[in-house]
Amino acid sequence: MSDSSIHFSISFVEPQAHYVDIEMDIVNFSGPFIDLKMPVWTPGSYLVREYARHVESFSATADGNALNVEKTAKNCWRVENPTRNIRVRYRVYGFEASVRTNFIDADHAFISPAATFLYVDGQLQHSASLQVNMPEQWTKVSTGLTLLDAEKHLYAVPDFDILFDSPLEIGNQDVWYFDAENVAHEFAMVGGGTYNKKQLSDDITKIVEVETAIWGENPNTNYVFITHNYQTGGGGLEHLNSTVLGASRNAYKTESAYKNFLSLVAHEYFHLWHVKRLRPKALGPFNYEAENYTTGLWIIEGFTSYYDNLIIRRCAFFSVKEYLNALANDFNLVYNRPGYQIQSAALSSFDTWIKQYRPDENSLNTSISYYNKGAMLAVALDIHIIASTGGEKRLDDVLREAYRVFYKNEKRGFEEAEFQQLAENVTGVDLRAIFEAAHSTVELDYNLYFHAVGYELVDLNKNSQELSLGIRINENDGKLLIKNVEKGSGAWDAGLNVNDELIAINNIRLDNAGKELEFLLEHGQVDDIVDVLVARDGQIRTIHVPLRHTTKQLWSIQEQLDAADEQKRLGKIWLAVAT
């Protein structure tokens, strides 16, 4: 099939109704039929999203004559192939604002390729081309794909892995350019905002420089930042030479929010090495039709979650205190979920397909995030390597060598065991305890590591006498509803349920502001039994709940007052600003 070809053409006949129209020309493929498939998930977002549910009006023709089409699976259309020149037409509905799904309206279109384009079964490595036909009111396309013809908005598609990894922003986005580390960077802002272009360009240039120094090279010639600004928004998704970010349009003028945005940029940009190239074996080549299981997300996402804020520190955007507060937040997010005693970082990675993107009212009792727990393990690794080598090595050296060995030389993904072995070979440090902790719910003594660099992890709530029922509450349409019940709390043992409406406590009507409940917790005594009047599915009942001390932890990372000079020296290496 050396002369076979695939060409896509997309149009927007009814953008206000949230549709993109796709034509797919398939030339010179042999066989009695062709199976066309749509991915069920998109790389970087580990959930089967069933993109095919948004496909409508599927048809196929050859020389203007209709061909028989049979849908053989949820994401597969079988097209008869009596000739070698087939045109397939279909529509895709897109109206979900996120970094991983299509969103189309009268103002612009964000196209997530995995949610839009079909591939010929067994031909993921086939090349293609893509033409974007825009409504008259739209003027720009932002994408990491290579432009072939600017007038026609025609793009080259080397293979379908690259297509599915190259989102498109189409409309009238605010676009500007800057160069960093010999890479041309495009910034595309959608939805307005209070951003300062020069400041963003300068600050992100610094991030690019610091990250490139970690890895030793920047593998791209061009890179695209697509940012969707909302009234409130967040999140990001990495791609091979682009990223899609979500932000709040007015947050750029707030110092803390702006720094958080820079941390998001640092996180997603770090992924162009750490996951898009250096990766676990399970994450490429991809099976787009099913889950791709790995226990290693704590390495690729967790390490990235450690480095994002550390890079902001190395750029001198964070003070030491700001950085330590950001790092302590990972410990607070993990240790204030009873699920850390049930789910390890590795199991969280493996179960991401059924848990991470599908939280429910009991998730905090049963699960953790491999992002936060992975960051905790990463800081232990980094500090342990620094301390054990007298500051000669650190986690940077491990990543740089792993990138060279697995991605550049061997051109493959890694297994966790060989990643650990490489890390120990590079540093000469025994790292077994930390890697084993990733597969266990037995917690490391993190102060064994922090003390080595003159810092200490402290729970400021350790001796708190604060009382708690063990519930989280939402106010909804004038009703106080229980949102979560903490495992092992008084509410858990007494039988308060999620969605119970709180009406009164000890015969005192509760106000919507929760002041009566606050008063009770401030003036009650531990082990007091309080009578909680609730409405459960319309039925009134009283639950007798014991008051207990809060289990909320408040972690802080502080300097050790009695740290020796060597500890202080190593701590300075750990938190140094890049030069």
Side-chain angles (χ1 to χ4, degrees):
M1 292 189 291
S2 59
D3 57 346
S4 61
S5 66
I6 299 172
H7 175 71
F8 290 100
S9 176
I10 63 173
S11 305
F12 301 91
V13 179
E14 296 181 298
Q16 83 289 347
H18 320 302
Y19 282 96
V20 56
D21 294 271
I22 300 104
E23 289 186 353
M24 182 182 185
D25 291 318
I26 307 166
V27 177
N28 203 27
F29 281 80
S30 60
F33 60 83
I34 295 175
D35 281 342
L36 299 176
K37 294 184 174 182
M38 177 168 279
V40 302
W41 69 288
T42 190
S45 184
Y46 307 104
L47 175 69
V48 172
R49 297 185 182 275
E50 310 295 15
Y51 289 127
R53 64 195 171 97
H54 293 305
V55 173
E56 301 177 18
S57 305
F58 191 101
S59 65
T61 59
D63 300 321
N65 299 314
L67 298 176
N68 290 329
V69 177
E70 178 186 5
K71 194 168 186 183
T72 60
K74 64 183 180 181
N75 66 321
C76 181
W77 291 260
R78 177 164 290 179
V79 180
E80 70 169 327
N81 188 24
T83 72
R84 299 200 173 185
N85 193 342
I86 296 172
R87 171 164 290 180
V88 172
R89 292 186 175 92
Y90 60 99
R91 313 186 83 196
V92 173
Y93 178 83
F95 196 54
E96 182 180 347
S98 82
V99 297
R100 63 191 71 86
T101 51
N102 287 330
F103 183 91
I104 305 151
D105 67 9
D107 297 324
H108 76 111
F110 172 67
I111 299 300
S112 174
T116 307
F117 298 110
L118 304 173
Y119 64 93
V120 177
D121 189 27
Q123 296 293 325
L124 284 170
Q125 297 308 308
H126 203 288
S127 63
S129 56
L130 168 63
Q131 182 172 343
V132 179
N133 301 304
M134 294 189 290
E136 291 183 1
Q137 67 271 25
W138 295 356
T139 60
K140 300 171 185 174
V141 180
S142 296
T143 181
L145 291 172
T146 300
L147 184 64
L148 295 176
D149 187 321
E151 185 175 346
K152 294 180 179 179
H153 301 294
L154 181 67
Y155 295 87
V157 177
D159 59 53
F160 279 75
D161 287 316
I162 290 178
L163 176 61
F164 294 146
D165 208 20
S166 302
L168 299 98
E169 176 60 38
I170 307 165
N172 297 305
Q173 58 271 25
D174 185 12
V175 175
W176 73 93
Y177 304 88
F178 61 93
D179 291 330
E181 292 293 331
N182 298 314
V183 177
H185 290 78
E186 174 184 344
F187 220 98
M189 280 286 196
V190 184
T194 57
Y195 52 88
N196 180 305
K197 295 181 185 180
K198 184 179 186 309
Q199 182 183 16
L200 271 174
S201 298
D202 290 346
D203 291 346
I204 294 174
T205 294
K206 183 65 174 176
I207 291 171
V208 172
E209 291 171 348
V210 169
E211 293 194 1
T212 302
I214 292 171
W215 295 94
E217 68 170 18
N218 196 309
N220 286 317
T221 57
N222 63 287
Y223 192 91
V224 181
F225 293 95
I226 298 171
T227 301
H228 294 137
N229 291 308
Y230 306 102
Q231 188 171 15
T232 56
L237 188 62
E238 70 276 1
H239 298 282
L240 193 68
N241 67 339
S242 64
T243 185
V244 185
L245 309 171
S248 299
R249 62 175 60 93
N250 293 322
Y252 301 97
K253 292 294 186 182
T254 304
E255 183 180 4
S256 61
Y258 179 66
K259 290 178 181 180
N260 287 337
F261 178 73
L262 292 180
S263 179
L264 174 63
V265 169
H267 183 106
E268 302 305 336
Y269 202 84
F270 200 81
H271 274 316
L272 77 85
W273 295 276
H274 196 51
V275 75
K276 300 314 300 183
R277 291 169 175 85
L278 175 63
R279 56 175 175 76
K281 274 187 178 178
L283 298 184
F286 295 113
N287 177 359
Y288 292 102
E289 294 192 83
E291 297 85 349
N292 292 229
Y293 291 105
T294 175
T295 58
L297 295 182
W298 71 271
I299 296 177
I300 58 170
E301 287 291 0
F303 284 22
T304 305
S305 294
Y306 168 60
Y307 270 97
D308 52 22
N309 287 320
L310 186 63
I311 287 160
I312 300 307
R313 168 58 195 157
R314 291 186 187 178
C315 292
F317 302 144
F318 271 162
S319 66
V320 168
K321 183 177 180 181
E322 286 175 317
Y323 170 67
L324 294 177
N325 287 342
L327 179 59
N329 190 53
D330 287 309
F331 288 84
N332 284 314
L333 288 171
V334 170
Y335 287 149
N336 282 298
R337 295 176 67 97
Y340 82 88
Q341 297 174 317
I342 293 175
Q343 189 182 55
S344 68
L347 184 56
S348 174
S349 302
F350 191 86
D351 277 348
T352 184
W353 296 94
I354 57 175
K355 290 184 180 288
Q356 176 71 18
Y357 295 94
R358 289 175 174 160
D360 59 30
E361 69 282 353
N362 200 41
S363 292
L364 83 165
N365 292 318
T366 62
S367 64
I368 57 168
S369 168
Y370 46 79
Y371 288 87
N372 308 121
K373 189 60 179 291
M376 292 162 58
L377 295 164
V379 69
L381 284 168
D382 196 17
I383 290 175
H384 187 43
I385 295 168
I386 291 170
S388 299
T389 63
E392 294 298 318
K393 299 284 186 180
R394 64 180 308 168
L395 191 54
D396 296 26
D397 300 282
V398 173
L399 294 180
R400 187 163 48 250
E401 181 65 4
Y403 174 80
R404 186 189 69 81
V405 171
F406 297 123
Y407 171 69
K408 296 200 72 176
N409 291 356
E410 300 183 11
K411 296 178 173 53
R412 64 176 179 88
F414 61 79
E415 300 284 3
E416 278 185 71
E418 58 185 356
F419 185 91
Q420 177 187 338
Q421 186 62 59
L422 178 142
E424 293 180 338
N425 291 344
V426 168
T427 62
V429 179
D430 185 348
L431 303 172
R432 286 176 297 174
I434 301 172
F435 277 88
E436 288 172 359
H439 292 261
S440 172
T441 56
V442 177
E443 287 300 297
L444 291 171
D445 181 354
Y446 285 93
N447 273 329
L448 288 177
Y449 305 100
F450 282 115
H451 287 172
V453 291
Y455 286 89
E456 187 168 22
L457 183 67
V458 179
D459 180 8
L460 301 179
N461 263 10
K462 184 175 182 180
N463 297 312
S464 173
Q465 298 301 303
E466 181 182 347
L467 299 177
S468 172
L469 290 176
I471 57 176
R472 298 182 186 180
I473 301 171
N474 269 354
E475 194 274 331
N476 187 359
D477 196 23
K479 298 178 180 180
L480 290 178
L481 301 179
I482 296 178
K483 178 183 178 182
N484 301 107
V485 179
E486 182 182 334
K487 185 177 182 179
S489 66
W492 176 279
D493 291 341
L496 283 177
N497 288 354
V498 170
N499 294 327
D500 281 353
E501 179 191 352
L502 295 179
I503 300 173
I505 292 182
N506 289 346
N507 296 319
I508 303 296
R509 174 80 183 189
L510 292 176
D511 63 302
N512 287 347
K515 293 180 181 178
E516 296 293 342
L517 181 55
E518 288 178 10
F519 182 86
L520 173 74
L521 296 177
E522 287 175 3
H523 295 87
Q525 299 294 321
V526 69
D527 295 329
D528 281 355
I529 303 296
V530 297
D531 297 331
V532 183
L533 185 68
V534 303
R536 180 178 296 171
D537 192 30
Q539 295 181 329
I540 304 298
R541 65 183 67 195
T542 299
I543 310 294
H544 308 293
V545 183
L547 291 181
R548 294 178 182 166
H549 286 133
T550 181
T551 60
K552 182 179 179 181
Q553 301 178 43
L554 183 59
W555 292 97
S556 175
I557 301 172
Q558 305 173 355
E559 285 188 80
Q560 276 187 290
L561 298 179
D562 59 348
D565 289 344
E566 177 63 6
Q567 291 170 284
K568 293 178 182 179
R569 184 184 75 85
L570 295 173
K572 288 179 180 178
I573 291 173
W574 173 41
L575 299 177
V577 171
T579 56

